[in-house]
Amino acid sequence: MILVFGGTTEGRKAVEVLEEGGKVFYYSTKTGEQDIILHNGQCIDGALDGEAMRTFCQEHDIRLIVDAAHPFASQLHQTIAQVSDSLGIPAIRYERIYPPRDPSITWIDDYKELASHLSPLTTLLATTGVQSIAKLKPLEAEGIKVYYRILNRESSIALALKQGASEEQLCYYEDPNDIPVNAEAILLKESGLSGGFLEKVEAARARGMKIIALKRPEGFMVYGSWFMVNGPYGLRRAVEKLLPEFYALHSGLTTGTCATAAAIAATLRLTKGEMPDEVPVILPNGETIMVAVGYGDGYAYCIKEAGDDPDVTNGIEVRASVEVNHGDCPHEQSEATDQRDCPRDSHQPQVEILGGEGVGVFTLPGFDFPPGEPAINKAPREMIRQNIMKILLQAPLSIGEGLGVRLSVPQGAEIARRTFNPRLGIEGGISIIGVSGIVKPFSEEAFIDSIRKCMTVAQASGAERVVINSGGKSERFVKALYPALPQQAFVEYGNYIGETLKIAHELDIKNITLGVMLGKAVKLAAGHLDTHSRKATMDKDFIRQMLAEAGCDIDISDITLAREIWEKLPAEKLQTFANTIIRHCVAHCSPLLPNGTLTILLIDDEGTIYSL
């Protein structure tokens, strides 16, 4: 069993990660007032002292603790550490991501320092929560009027009044950008990105307020045995390591993450003389995970770990070699070339990314980069660049204008023959890919079961409609159309559109919105309710039929990806062709939802959404 301490954004994310395991876990909050829906988890509320926590862990066979509580809940963190140590239960700290400390902000370690930084100001807006009111009351004796922004709920208001605040002093937390009173200064907690810290700073700065921030506690530095994570992927991987049986299938790393880890290791060896066994990799979502690396003669490497996802690249060695780049970027600048591959800012070191042995080359248009470029997609390039730039800006050695990073995969050419690369016009090796950096494995049965659970949770949320989408990218675009819907109302179908609609019918969900990207849409329009590449490929003859129906006369004989159709169509024909695709999709999907209303949204790669 797993025991999670939450009540925060991180707690909510931890729940999403653990729900994927399909097993019972416990979710603990102090007040029980967080709006959260659990399918496998069980909520418990009320503060737990050391003895109560120890007893609960023993009685419920707790084998792993996840501390996703607020960073300023120091007493709770200490109690968890003591119980974890005394019972021998491993603990994971789900920490927040913090931006660098802005030197224009006044940073304090303790509330007692406030008075000295406020003079000669006489008004302060405190956003540090009801528990801080008693600590701030002495300021009023020194002639400073303090306003307290708190959560607008009965328990918070009652506690604020009990601590001596008046109703006039209370204002309520609705939006990080909202400054509800005119005060000369604002007091913030260093609450990290998920706590809206940057938004609060920006709003206060726009009002001309002096900004004072209370530094976050750094007590976790002493909890050496804890596993530290700061995002959902890291949490899942930590749970897989500490409690392997919790997930039926384990996650893996994309080739992009492996390439990034190897590049980081090679850069650290060149610039700092360091050769660690594992390196921190910043993923596209901003979180950091630790990845194992090794070293060879003139290169560093990372072994591709696919987890339980069937992948022919599992176990391959992804290498990176780096060298000082004193000259100009060799790429000719053109509209087709990603300008970020050859930065021209003389104040920033350059990071040039090249392909070597076993890394394929694009030979056809339609990809992130033009023919002739190494088959390294945009997301991995950005990962490599972001991670290496962080090292270069701190490196003690002078490295000229930057680094050249060459990626290679010794067995890449052989392995590529067993992939779709030859069919897509990628020659000479594998492609370095990965949007999220992590591979989340699911057997077909397990994935469909997870969809069913998510649809059940979506229904239980009471949302007026459920929005199903293929993944994070399409969900991000569609969410903007439904800002009032709760997070639980958005469900990922992956490739299983037909199965998801059947589940919606079984659960009697009346209103469904289906968001689908163009690549899957042309398969769905042809009647493929499972759009996985193993079961469905792009049918050019059927696409030509739809183009004819839409009155579009273009040649698609040379396309390799569906999005290239969009590039060939004149702007005035985009909506007409989109309508044709959607009508075919509706014809195949609507019979699966006979008692409900289905809305289909077609999304292009830029996020433009088309509907009938």
Side-chain angles (χ1 to χ4, degrees), residues 309-326:
D309 188 62
D311 190 336
V312 296
T313 64
N314 185 45
I316 64 171
E317 188 175 281
V318 181
R319 296 178 178 178
S321 59
V322 299
E323 59 182 17
V324 177
N325 178 11
H326 293 290

Side-chain angles (χ1 to χ4, degrees), residues 509-571:
I509 298 176
K510 297 299 186 185
N511 295 303
I512 294 286
T513 292
L514 165 62
V516 60
M517 302 291 286
L518 183 61
K520 292 184 187 296
V522 295
K523 296 179 183 179
L524 180 61
H528 298 290
L529 295 169
D530 179 345
T531 58
H532 196 286
S533 57
R534 290 194 302 265
K535 298 185 179 181
T537 57
M538 183 174 61
D539 185 340
K540 288 187 180 180
D541 288 336
F542 181 70
I543 292 174
R544 291 188 182 97
Q545 176 188 322
M546 289 195 293
L547 287 167
E549 291 176 25
C552 303
D553 184 16
I554 61 171
D555 179 14
I556 61 169
S557 58
D558 61 341
I559 68 169
T560 57
L561 299 171
R563 68 184 181 192
E564 294 174 68
I565 305 169
W566 234 238
E567 298 166 2
K568 290 175 174 285
L569 282 170

Side-chain angles (χ1 to χ4, degrees), residues 10 69-72 77 93-101 107 189-195 197-198 214-218 220 228-230 286 390:
E10 289 68 35
H70 196 282
F72 281 79
H77 305 318
R93 169 58 186 167
Y94 193 149
E95 186 58 286
R96 297 183 174 185
I97 298 173
Y98 296 95
R101 285 177 180 161
W107 295 92
K189 283 182 175 178
E190 187 181 14
S191 55
L193 297 182
S194 65
F197 182 79
L198 293 180
L214 182 67
K215 296 177 184 176
R216 68 185 185 273
E218 297 182 351
F220 290 110
M228 305 295 290
V229 303
N230 64 354
K390 185 176 181 181

Side-chain angles (χ1 to χ4, degrees), residues 397-409:
L397 302 179
S398 173
I399 57 169
E401 292 188 279
L403 292 182
V405 180
R406 187 174 298 276
L407 305 179
S408 60
V409 182

